[in-house]
Amino acid sequence: MLYFAYGSNLNHFQMKRRCKDSIFIKKINLNNFRLTFRSKYRAADIEPKKNSKVIGGLYEISKSDEKKLDVYEDFPILYKKYYFLYYGKKIMTYTMVKKTEFRFPTERYLNIVKNGYRNCGLDIRYLTKALSEKK
């Protein structure tokens, strides 16, 4: 199956730890969404927003990887699954169930995300923009 990663799951080392069968395919955009950080965990989340985009990584994962991600993402309590089409292919990602206010991520988490941006060849300006938009 295909999985859209953002936040700490962009980090190739993290993804291999969480999903041993995962294969990074390429960077892609999820249009009409924006990246934010929220919850008591200060974790990454995405939410609908017209004329915005979230840049992320497209991974191929196995069914067993999906089950491991479900546990890691605390599905369906903290995150729910969201599906979208990308060039006719069905892609799965996660969004937070409870939409709380912006919470700046911890330095440790932010460094993992930044490394993920580098791993996937993503433009760090999109992360900087998400961190400056506190609404």
Side-chain angles (χ1 to χ4, degrees):
M1 81 177 296
L2 296 174
Y3 168 65
F4 176 75
Y6 63 91
S8 64
N9 287 345
L10 290 170
N11 187 299
H12 291 190
F13 177 77
Q14 294 282 19
M15 271 301 287
K16 277 296 180 186
R17 274 186 34 204
R18 294 171 187 157
C19 303
K20 68 177 177 62
D21 299 327
S22 66
I23 299 168
F24 174 74
I25 299 172
K26 65 181 183 173
K27 57 185 175 181
I28 68 169
N29 299 329
L30 176 57
N31 294 320
N32 296 313
F33 276 80
R34 75 172 183 160
L35 175 68
T36 189
F37 297 84
R38 57 172 44 112
S39 86
K40 67 181 180 181
Y41 305 106
R42 304 179 191 189
D45 186 25
I46 56 174
E47 62 188 7
K49 184 177 182 196
K50 287 275 187 207
N51 301 316
S52 293
K53 70 179 173 182
V54 177
I55 60 172
L58 182 63
Y59 283 86
E60 185 175 327
I61 63 172
S62 66
K63 269 303 204 187
S64 65
D65 284 343
E66 180 185 12
K67 289 178 183 175
K68 289 175 187 168
L69 272 179
D70 285 351
V71 171
Y72 175 77
E73 301 293 353
D74 198 12
F75 169 79
I77 307 302
L78 185 59
Y79 285 88
K80 64 183 177 179
K81 292 182 182 179
Y82 175 80
Y83 296 90
F84 64 96
L85 291 178
Y86 180 79
Y87 291 101
K89 303 275 188 182
K90 185 177 176 182
I91 313 290
M92 186 273 292
T93 193
Y94 295 93
T95 65
M96 280 190 182
V97 173
K98 186 177 179 188
K99 302 295 186 190
T100 61
E101 290 184 14
F102 176 89
R103 300 279 312 268
F104 202 86
T106 65
E107 186 175 341
R108 179 185 172 281
Y109 182 80
L110 187 54
N111 285 334
I112 290 169
V113 174
K114 285 178 180 177
N115 284 335
Y117 269 67
R118 284 189 282 279
N119 291 162
C120 296
L122 303 177
D123 188 337
I124 199 79
R125 289 179 292 185
Y126 287 96
L127 177 59
T128 304
K129 181 179 178 191
L131 292 169
S132 67
E133 292 180 349
K134 297 181 173 104
K135 292 183 182 183

